[in-house]
Amino acid sequence: MRALGMVAVSAAMALVLAACGGDDSSSSDNKADTGNSSSVKGKVGVILPDTQSSARWESFDKPLLTKAFQEAGVDADIQNALGDKSKFVSIADGMIQEGVSVLAIVNLDSATGAQVQAKAKAAGVKTIDYDRLTLGGTADYYVSFDNVKVGELQGQGLVDALTKSGKTNPTYIDLNGSPTDNNATLFKQGYDSVLTKQSGWKKVGDQSVPDWDNAKAVTIFEQLLTAAGGKVDGVLAANDGLGNSAITVLKKNGLKVPVTGQDATAGGLQNILAGDQYMTVYKPIKDEAEGLVKLTVSLLKGEKGETTGTVEDTQGKRQVPSLLLTPKAITKETVKDVVADGFVTKAELCTGKYAAMCTEAGVA
């Protein structure tokens, strides 16, 4: 998602402007080091976007943020806009009126996010973009993963899968994320940079899915597959939800081809174990949540937050101080790593028919 640097966040939180790779396993060194929590004064508001674009927001981000803020001794109000832009603005208005000192948001779109941030700035409230950059906004900081890198991992995953299958001159379809989500733009930038370099490859479909809606994705992919003559060799799906939508349609048409994903959801990992999806991208949300809390504490103390570089807001034409973490590609061979990291439990992953698959994949 951007034009500048990125990196792995390690124990020292090194200030780097351009890096690739790194160890993105969660570490206790990434916990928000708040020093004397008694010096932390002020309330924080966090607005999550919805429950449909990804299971992560309520299943992972909310509990992780709640725990991290509690450990830092910070009073935090965390709410979900449930995909409603009016509700998003209303929640923000309420938090500003209640006197939050810092407001962190995951925007539903940049226009709404910028509107909220303008109100916060007028009220003297510091703002942080969490996971999604608000184009044209005024956020003091941005916390996320290197989202161009996410896309690159997805693109390389599809290349690896089709190379292993021995496909020559393969056809593929891009099933992109929401056109109003800057992250989706950056994911696509990443995977296009890989796929367009493949000699003999032919893209036979390319469409974005409004609001990351999985139901709409089924219809859109059906149309794309039909337009491609009912045949395709691979699918670049921008996240696990969209990947599952594509898989549903492929199965209906008697096709089994490599499909990518992202978010390392239990459903996505199960699809990988079953051989219906080739890979996903794991983003240790624990590190992202703790990074947000650490920056928030710095702002509450009147200090400058630690960052790893800057990201360009192409609409606002400014460089936003950013904390960017490194994502990790996950295939069947490394599904066990996600479980070992505690992101998904064995109990929720290895249910029913997936129990034997988990054993085969070495999930402990």
Side-chain angles (χ1 to χ4, degrees), residues 26-351:
S26 294
S27 166
S28 59
D29 292 331
N30 276 335
K31 288 186 178 180
D33 180 10
T34 63
N36 182 5
S37 61
S38 63
S39 65
V40 181
K41 300 184 183 300
K43 186 174 182 179
V44 176
V46 179
I47 309 177
L48 301 176
D50 55 48
T51 58
Q52 293 184 326
S53 66
S54 176
R56 63 169 287 188
W57 305 118
E58 288 296 306
S59 299
F60 299 103
D61 292 85
K62 187 170 184 177
L64 286 169
L65 285 168
T66 299
K67 182 174 184 291
F69 277 121
Q70 287 176 344
E71 291 178 345
V74 176
D75 183 10
D77 180 9
I78 305 173
Q79 298 187 46
N80 194 306
L82 302 176
D84 186 325
K85 296 176 187 177
S86 296
K87 183 178 180 65
F88 188 97
V89 174
S90 177
I91 291 173
D93 287 343
M95 289 179 172
I96 293 171
Q97 290 171 7
E98 289 172 5
V100 297
S101 300
V102 179
L103 178 63
I105 68 169
V106 186
N107 69 61
L108 285 168
D109 62 20
S110 286
T112 305
Q115 176 187 348
V116 163
Q117 289 177 348
K119 289 184 178 182
K121 185 175 182 179
V125 177
K126 297 290 186 179
T127 57
I128 300 174
D129 273 326
Y130 182 61
D131 199 72
R132 297 174 183 169
L133 182 65
T134 299
L135 299 179
T138 55
D140 295 280
Y141 290 98
Y142 172 47
V143 180
S144 190
F145 287 84
D146 180 350
N147 294 301
V148 171
K149 182 65 176 178
V150 169
E152 291 172 352
L153 292 175
Q154 292 174 310
Q156 189 58 53
L158 190 59
V159 170
D160 292 345
L162 289 174
T163 299
K164 287 179 181 178
S165 68
K167 287 288 182 180
T168 56
N169 301 324
T171 60
Y172 68 97
I173 290 174
D174 281 357
L175 192 61
N176 312 304
S178 175
T180 59
D181 181 353
N182 188 57
N183 282 9
T185 299
L186 298 175
F187 300 149
K188 184 167 178 57
Q189 179 184 329
Y191 52 74
D192 278 353
S193 72
V194 174
L195 298 180
T196 56
K197 294 177 182 177
Q198 305 309 309
S199 178
W201 283 45
K202 182 179 180 182
K203 185 188 295 186
V204 293
D206 187 343
Q207 193 165 334
S208 298
V209 179
D211 303 319
W212 295 90
D213 189 304
N214 296 332
K216 292 179 182 177
V218 170
T219 301
I220 289 171
F221 188 74
E222 283 179 327
Q223 295 170 344
L224 291 171
L225 185 61
T226 298
K231 295 181 180 180
V232 71
D233 296 315
V235 179
L236 194 301
N239 75 357
D240 289 346
L242 301 186
N244 190 64
S245 296
I247 290 167
T248 299
V249 176
L250 290 168
K251 285 184 175 181
K252 178 182 174 181
N253 287 271
L255 299 173
K256 188 168 186 176
V257 305
V259 177
T260 68
Q262 178 198 171
D263 288 336
T265 63
L269 295 174
Q270 287 174 338
N271 279 336
I272 291 174
L273 291 172
D276 295 320
Q277 181 173 321
Y278 181 74
M279 63 83 70
T280 186
V281 178
Y282 173 42
K283 300 178 295 185
I285 297 173
K286 181 174 182 289
D287 292 350
E288 188 178 19
E290 290 176 349
L292 173 63
V293 173
K294 187 170 184 177
L295 279 176
T296 299
V297 169
S298 295
L299 290 176
L300 291 175
K301 290 182 174 181
E303 300 172 353
K304 184 177 181 180
E306 291 183 88
T307 60
T308 57
T310 62
V311 166
E312 183 181 6
D313 173 359
T314 55
Q315 185 172 318
K317 301 188 184 305
R318 69 186 187 106
Q319 298 297 323
V320 185
S322 303
L323 174 62
L324 300 177
L325 299 97
T326 304
K328 179 181 180 181
I330 297 294
T331 60
K332 187 174 182 178
E333 291 72 27
T334 52
V335 165
K336 60 181 180 291
D337 295 346
V338 182
V339 178
D341 207 28
F343 184 71
V344 174
T345 67
K346 182 178 180 180
E348 64 183 319
L349 177 65
C350 306
T351 59

